[in-house]
Amino acid sequence: MKTKILFILLLLTSPSFWLVMFHLPQALGYWQRLPQSIVATIKSKSQSQYLIYIDELRWAGRSFHRNDLLSRILYNKSLFVLNEFFDFIQYAQPKLYFLAGDGSVFSPRRLEPISSLLFPFWILGILKIIKDKKFLVPSAYCLFMLIGYASGQKNLALLFPVLILNVYISTLGLKDHKRIIPIILIYGVYITGMNIWLSIS
């Protein structure tokens, strides 16, 4: 099966793809408000309590109210950057896409957004991308993650491009395992059908 056809079939058997499509006006609303969301997020991060009270944290830290070297190491702006980096990484966690979803109308109830059976093949796809040194996919992945992070909202409307890229990466890992493809597609049809059933029930 050609990669393009397999990718389309996997995308069409991913419940969250249909949920975003069914709630398209609401999803587009998030994108229309994206500039305001980014400005608000940047403003809130620049006014973080940690940054405002960093000096007080040093003086009342672990060194008995002395602004010494240990307090400066424990409480500094680089730790704020590190914390923000870990927040950024949360937008890439597989659990969001292959298991739990975002808890909004863009995620199915009690089902995974993308078939969880694809997760092992997603890992194989990542390894294939690294082996082939295809930097376009990881670059696009990071860019769309950044959009979600900058918005301050972890929902699959703004992360829809990341969801699509996850399906594509899974396709790269699955395409060489032809015997497994029918099982993956049957399960995808099942969870998509269940999602429709649960949505209307």
Side-chain angles (χ1 to χ4, degrees):
M1 186 180 294
K2 292 183 178 180
T3 303
K4 187 182 293 186
I5 295 173
L6 180 58
F7 166 66
I8 292 171
L9 290 175
L10 292 176
L11 192 61
L12 293 177
T13 53
S14 298
S16 273
F17 171 79
W18 292 107
L19 284 174
V20 173
M21 292 296 104
F22 291 153
H23 297 91
L24 194 57
Q26 190 172 345
L28 292 175
Y30 278 104
W31 282 93
Q32 289 173 347
R33 295 188 297 273
L34 183 61
Q36 297 95 313
S37 299
I38 291 175
V39 170
T41 300
I42 292 172
K43 186 177 179 181
S44 68
K45 290 185 183 299
S46 65
Q47 295 175 350
S48 166
Q49 296 295 307
Y50 183 89
L51 293 176
I52 293 172
Y53 295 110
I54 190 168
D55 289 332
E56 287 84 347
L57 288 168
R58 286 175 177 171
W59 281 93
R62 298 170 62 100
S63 297
F64 302 102
H65 303 279
R66 293 200 306 263
N67 190 17
D68 63 358
L69 179 61
L70 181 59
S71 292
R72 288 178 179 273
I73 291 171
L74 289 173
Y75 305 105
N76 61 74
K77 292 182 180 180
S78 63
L79 291 180
F80 172 76
V81 174
L82 184 63
N83 183 63
E84 290 302 313
F85 173 74
F86 283 118
D87 283 348
F88 172 70
I89 292 299
Q90 293 297 311
Y91 287 80
Q93 62 175 332
K95 180 181 178 182
L96 177 64
Y97 304 97
F98 293 94
L99 188 61
D102 63 359
S104 74
V105 295
F106 307 113
S107 287
R109 293 184 292 165
R110 303 187 293 275
L111 293 169
E112 59 264 44
I114 301 172
S115 171
S116 56
L117 297 183
L118 285 174
F119 179 65
F121 301 101
W122 179 81
I123 295 173
L124 292 176
I126 294 287
L127 296 175
K128 188 174 181 63
I129 287 170
I130 293 170
K131 181 182 177 182
D132 296 341
K133 297 180 180 179
K134 294 180 177 179
F135 299 114
L136 180 60
V137 173
S139 298
Y141 200 99
C142 290
L143 173 64
F144 290 119
M145 273 174 57
L146 182 61
I147 290 173
Y149 165 78
S151 73
Q153 302 172 79
K154 194 184 294 181
N155 68 59
L156 293 179
L158 291 173
L159 293 172
F160 190 60
V162 181
L163 183 137
I164 292 173
L165 285 171
N166 278 322
V167 174
Y168 177 72
I169 293 168
S170 301
T171 304
L172 295 179
L174 178 64
K175 68 176 184 177
D176 296 327
H177 300 79
K178 295 181 180 178
R179 293 182 179 180
I180 307 294
I181 292 174
I183 298 172
I184 299 289
L185 292 176
I186 289 169
Y187 180 72
V189 170
Y190 166 73
I191 59 174
T192 302
M194 282 296 295
N195 174 57
I196 295 170
W197 171 261
L198 292 170
S199 296
I200 62 177
S201 62

